[in-house]
Structure formats: structure tokens, C-alpha cells
Amino acid sequence: MKIELINETESTNDYIKRYLDGGEDVIVCAARQTCGRGTKGRAFLSEAGGVYLSALTFYKGVPASDAFCVMTHASVSVCRTAEAFGISPVIKWPNDVYVKGKKLSGILIENCCSEGLLKYSIVGIGLNAENDLSSLGGIAVSLSAAAGRKISVAEARDKLIENYRTADTFSDYLRYAVTQCTVRILENGREYTAFINRILKDGRLEIQTEEGVRALSAAEITVRL
Ligand code: BTN
């Protein structure tokens, strides 16, 4: 697998698209991004001190209905990376990694499916290593702050690449994912309280409210822990 380290780009998720015609898996890591992209059209703070990684993976014969495994794999790789530095992470469904209530990493996935099959995925991971996150008002944390010692971008990046290249299972994901607790749910501008029962293999979240049990996708709702 090709691994390319670059200094700066607008967004590694866009930069990596130059490899789409090659048909070969690639990982690109940038020291900073000038136009980092988050989920739901938001910007992602991408100054030096973080790991900004995108991985392009081609698939053969994987049903589009199994695409949740792309998300579970990305978030498990981040959790294993945090654990390698003595930190205990959790996954907030579907794939944000938190440490003691603060966001350690964000993941942006772009899947390409056709004729019912997953063709390729671009997985973008932003992992805070030793960056100054003070402008975010205490909602985010770096590996260094969580571990109480300096963890360099290079150490974090190398461990993340190693873990990204290691296989895992849905049970590994479930081991980190937060379930069996009460949360706030945002759905179509409405906010309500619900109990998280479980995460289904297709990626939907099964929640319980006074109105009954429902299974919802990440496109339909946002969870607030
Ligand atoms: C989020 O939490 O909203 C997702 C953030 C994803 C950020 C990563 S950094 C590498 C890749 N390039 C981007 O522009 N975004 C993703």
C-alpha cells in the first residue's frame, strides 16, 4: 500500500481523489489542512499538531449494505491508537471518538456504491495529537493532554496507520461504543431524550422512547451524550 506524507493541502479527502484511477489502496497524511472538512458540511480545525489522514480503499464483492464496516473499522483504529498511549476511549455512535467527554477524533467517510456493491471508500480521520485546541472552548482533547505527556504527531500518525492496516470485527466496535444509557437526540430540528438499546449491524441506532422502539440511521439523527 502506498503511504504519502505531505505538508499541506486543502483537505486530504479531496487530495486523495487523484488516486481514484489507479485502483490501488493509498493512505495520505498531511501535517495541516487549509480547508479541513467535517461531517454535515461543517469545517474541521486542522492546524499543525494533529494527524489528518485519508485512506482510499477499493473493494470487490462487498455488498453496499455492509458499508457500516468502513465506519467501524475507522473508529476502532482510532480507539486502538489511543489505547496504545494508555488512554481509554469510547465511541459516540456512529464514529466520533471521545475521551472523558471530549472529542479526540472526527471521521468523515465518503463511500462510492454502485449496483448494490461498495466500490471504494475514502475515510478521513482527524486525530488530535499535540495541537492547541483552546479555540474550541474545551469540547476537544488531544492525545498529549489525555495521556499527560507529549505524544508527537509522528508517533500518533505511525500508530494510526499501523492500526488502520490491522483487521477488526464488529464486536471490537461494540466494545468501545457507548450504549445502554440515556442521551439527547436531535431529529429534524426536534430534541428529545431516549435510551440507547443497541447498535445494529447495519449501522442503525436502536433507541427507546415513551413512544416505543425505533432504529434510526446517522443521516436521520445526531446523538448528544
Ligand atoms: C467531524 O468530526 O466532523 C469529521 C472530521 C473529519 C476530519 C478529517 S481530517 C482528514 C480528512 N480530511 C478532511 O477534510 N476531513 C477529514
Side-chain angles (χ1 to χ4, degrees), residues 73-91:
H73 176 63
S75 47
V76 168
S77 331
V78 172
C79 288
R80 287 180 169 170
T81 301
E83 280 183 337
F85 296 111
I87 298 161
S88 301
V90 296
I91 297 171

Side-chain angles (χ1 to χ4, degrees), residues 19-74:
Y19 293 111
L20 279 176
D21 289 339
E24 219 187 295
D25 294 355
V26 183
I27 287 181
V28 171
C29 253
R32 71 188 85 78
Q33 301 181 115
T34 54
C35 200
R37 295 195 284 116
T39 53
K40 304 194 171 161
R42 287 187 281 249
F44 187 77
L45 183 73
S46 303
E47 285 162 11
V51 177
Y52 309 106
L53 175 151
S54 290
L56 169 64
T57 308
F58 291 91
Y59 298 92
K60 281 206 172 69
V62 173
S65 53
D66 288 350
F68 188 55
C69 68
V70 176
M71 259 191 202
T72 60
H73 176 63

